[in-house]
Amino acid sequence: MDIKKRAFITGAAVALQACGGGDSEEKSSDTDSSTDNYSTPNSNQLLSRQGAVALYLPNNEALFDYSAALTHFSTSDSAFYYDLEPYLERYERTDNPIIYLMIHLGHGNPLSKEFFDNWITYQLSNTFVLAVGSELATVSDSLVISHLHDIREAVANDTSIKDYVYEYFLSEMFWARFRSPEDNGREVLEIYLGLFQDDLVPKAAQILKNYSFNESTGSLEKSLEVNTEAQEILGELLTTPGELYQFVVNHDDFLPHVYTHIVKQLYGYEDREVIGQLQQINATTFREVYLVALFHENMASVTRTKFPEEVLFPALKSGNYQVRRNDFTVFLNLMDQIGTRPMLSKLERSQATWNALNIGNISSLLERIYTNEAGSFSSQWNYGYSQAIYLELARNVENSTALLQNAHRILWREDHTYPTQFEDLIAQQTSDSDKINTALRIAAMNYALYEHGVAS
């Protein structure tokens, strides 16, 4: 293998490294669950670099505080959807709902209400709370699209968590996820209240006995054979599905369990301090929950395995890089191979598995997409990095050391000195364009982090 290929493959291994997972699990048992000293984030509480990565912000974007975030994420960008239309031409159909949302997150303006609404929707669809479950034969693409639309509407309108989840319990999507009265009754008590009591399942199933999901028609059916015998659940007499679901969302343990599922997916573990703060302020909307979790000081020390988009999207945005539409399909397929396909599980998304094969596959993708500056600077829809980035790097094209350092700084917001073989590789290129491409490709794979190892 020649030095160029070896450098790219080795570097890519690091670009996608997981941020270690060993410490994260320990924190959940070491932290104090008391909520006496928690409050909302200070207005000057700064977003951590880990929080910025989770939000897919450009790595070279200046970090901002909680007060600025409230402004950013409540200010609409009138061109947000219009600017994405050329990318969405083939993904507006219901057969590509995941890619449709990923395009918004990969190329949309990250400092806007529209982006944050879509980001929260995407996060929720991968948690226990509102998982999509596209792995199930009963979950059709049309159901997925409707589900994502409903979540986004609830987020955009700051609908209360209790109100939205109650309606969700009565939806075809929830019943496609848990199809029988027994399964549905068990899961609604276990997932949302943490009640793992087998004796309660027959009672809940009796209450829900006239509800079922018809797999042939893909719809929720409600028969005329309703339950008329009140069932006692935790001291409450409940007769109808509506009463059962109202009991769940109004239970004292409901919101804490929602907080727990969201924090665990975002942090990689159940951080009791973050959950305690959410309980203290009694966060009632999804927007409140995510803002507190993102700006909590503990986010700065999160070390969970990165999801693939947490590596790719920030790097693309840092270089103003436009990915070809087909590359989103390739990227989604790679996430499937890595074992972390979004919106797949009916429970929650799996963490990435960064073994040698998966790193190599992502390496090939990065090596291929980071190759061209935009072919026509008059059109932002040509794939490649922007003219502004090209011109900035062109100033150092005769100095391989400076060129590589500048490329790295643009993409990763940090200084780094590369081994001389990488500089020699750039110097061997004949044209300015090839030199810039090579520098960006090396930097995109973040070889600088190789010395810290790759979590597998």
Side-chain angles (χ1 to χ4, degrees), residues 23-94:
D23 297 336
S24 297
E25 295 299 330
E26 298 175 1
K27 293 182 182 179
S28 61
S29 60
D30 292 339
T31 52
D32 183 3
S33 60
S34 170
T35 62
D36 292 343
N37 299 317
Y38 301 133
S39 61
T40 55
N42 296 325
S43 61
N44 60 352
Q45 178 69 49
L46 194 67
L47 180 70
S48 66
R49 180 53 54 190
Q50 287 85 337
V53 168
L55 276 167
Y56 317 139
L57 296 179
N59 292 308
N60 52 10
E61 181 76 47
L63 297 179
F64 45 84
D65 59 26
Y66 181 79
S67 179
L70 294 179
T71 300
H72 289 317
F73 298 142
S74 62
T75 302
S76 292
D77 175 5
S78 60
F80 183 85
Y81 293 103
Y82 174 80
D83 288 344
L84 295 173
E85 282 184 5
Y87 274 102
L88 295 172
E89 288 174 0
R90 63 175 293 186
Y91 295 123
E92 289 179 332
R93 305 188 307 274
T94 57

Side-chain angles (χ1 to χ4, degrees), residues 63-363:
L63 297 179
F64 45 84
D65 59 26
Y66 181 79
S67 179
L70 294 179
T71 300
H72 289 317
F73 298 142
S74 62
T75 302
S76 292
D77 175 5
S78 60
F80 183 85
Y81 293 103
Y82 174 80
D83 288 344
L84 295 173
E85 282 184 5
Y87 274 102
L88 295 172
E89 288 174 0
R90 63 175 293 186
Y91 295 123
E92 289 179 332
R93 305 188 307 274
T94 57
D95 55 347
N96 290 291
I98 302 175
I99 296 178
Y100 179 86
L101 198 53
M102 287 180 63
I103 289 174
H104 289 86
L105 301 174
H107 285 313
N109 173 15
L111 300 182
S112 67
K113 183 179 187 300
E114 288 77 8
F115 179 89
F116 198 49
D117 290 348
N118 280 285
W119 182 85
I120 294 176
T121 300
Y122 183 71
Q123 302 303 315
L124 286 171
S125 68
N126 287 297
T127 67
F128 266 111
V129 183
L130 297 172
V132 169
S134 59
E135 64 180 339
L136 301 173
T138 49
V139 177
S140 65
D141 291 319
S142 59
L143 271 182
V144 173
I145 275 290
S146 295
H147 182 49
L148 296 176
H149 170 271
D150 291 344
I151 297 175
R152 192 168 66 182
E153 287 295 298
V155 171
N157 296 323
D158 279 331
T159 302
S160 79
I161 296 173
K162 290 183 177 182
D163 287 348
Y164 178 73
V165 175
Y166 173 75
E167 293 298 328
Y168 170 60
F169 287 158
L170 294 166
S171 72
E172 288 187 337
M173 181 67 196
F174 186 62
W175 278 86
R177 186 178 167 195
F178 306 113
R179 291 159 282 187
S180 68
E182 293 78 12
D183 190 25
N184 196 288
R186 178 185 297 276
E187 298 301 337
V188 77
L189 294 173
E190 291 183 353
I191 292 176
Y192 299 92
L193 296 184
L195 293 175
F196 293 86
Q197 296 179 220
D198 290 340
D199 62 304
L200 296 180
V201 176
K203 298 178 180 181
Q206 177 66 23
I207 294 171
L208 299 168
K209 73 176 215 175
N210 69 313
Y211 278 30
S212 64
F213 190 82
N214 188 318
E215 297 187 27
S216 298
T217 61
S219 59
L220 169 61
E221 294 186 351
K222 305 172 185 178
S223 75
L224 297 178
E225 191 177 351
V226 299
N227 174 59
T228 57
E229 182 181 350
Q231 304 293 312
E232 182 179 349
I233 295 183
L234 301 184
E236 294 286 336
L237 292 177
L238 309 172
T239 305
T240 67
E243 289 175 351
L244 174 63
Y245 292 149
Q246 282 288 359
F247 167 78
V248 171
V249 299
N250 289 319
H251 194 281
D252 289 343
D253 291 336
F254 171 72
L255 284 177
H257 272 80
V258 171
Y259 303 155
T260 299
H261 293 317
I262 290 175
V263 170
K264 182 180 178 183
Q265 187 70 1
L266 189 61
Y267 276 59
Y269 66 99
E270 297 178 11
D271 190 307
R272 305 314 304 177
E273 290 185 3
V274 180
I275 296 166
Q277 181 177 12
L278 289 165
Q279 289 181 256
Q280 176 68 21
I281 69 170
N282 190 34
T284 59
T285 68
F286 292 120
R287 188 183 307 275
E288 284 182 285
V289 174
Y290 277 103
L291 278 170
V292 169
L294 283 167
F295 280 86
H296 194 282
E297 60 183 8
N298 287 4
M299 174 57 78
S301 58
V302 164
T303 57
R304 66 159 170 78
T305 301
K306 285 183 181 178
F307 292 108
E309 61 269 36
E310 291 178 322
V311 176
L312 183 65
F313 288 176
L316 296 180
K317 293 175 182 178
S318 300
N320 292 327
Y321 194 93
Q322 300 292 333
V323 177
R324 290 179 295 186
R325 291 180 301 181
N326 287 344
D327 284 327
F328 281 101
T329 301
V330 174
F331 185 52
L332 182 60
N333 290 338
L334 287 178
M335 286 198 284
D336 202 8
Q337 295 176 33
I338 294 170
T340 184
R341 183 183 178 90
M343 304 185 200
L344 177 67
S345 173
K346 74 171 184 177
L347 298 178
E348 65 178 345
R349 184 182 184 185
S350 300
Q351 294 287 329
T353 301
W354 291 116
N355 57 32
L357 176 61
N358 293 335
I359 290 170
N361 287 334
I362 293 291
S363 169

Side-chain angles (χ1 to χ4, degrees), residues 407-438:
H408 186 91
R409 191 178 302 112
I410 286 173
L411 294 186
W412 304 109
R413 193 182 172 82
E414 65 181 9
D415 293 321
H416 180 73
T417 301
Y418 283 81
T420 57
Q421 61 261 37
F422 289 100
E423 299 171 7
D424 294 342
L425 178 60
I426 294 173
Q428 293 169 14
Q429 308 306 310
T430 56
S431 69
D432 290 353
S433 177
D434 287 343
K435 290 179 180 179
I436 293 172
N437 287 336
T438 302

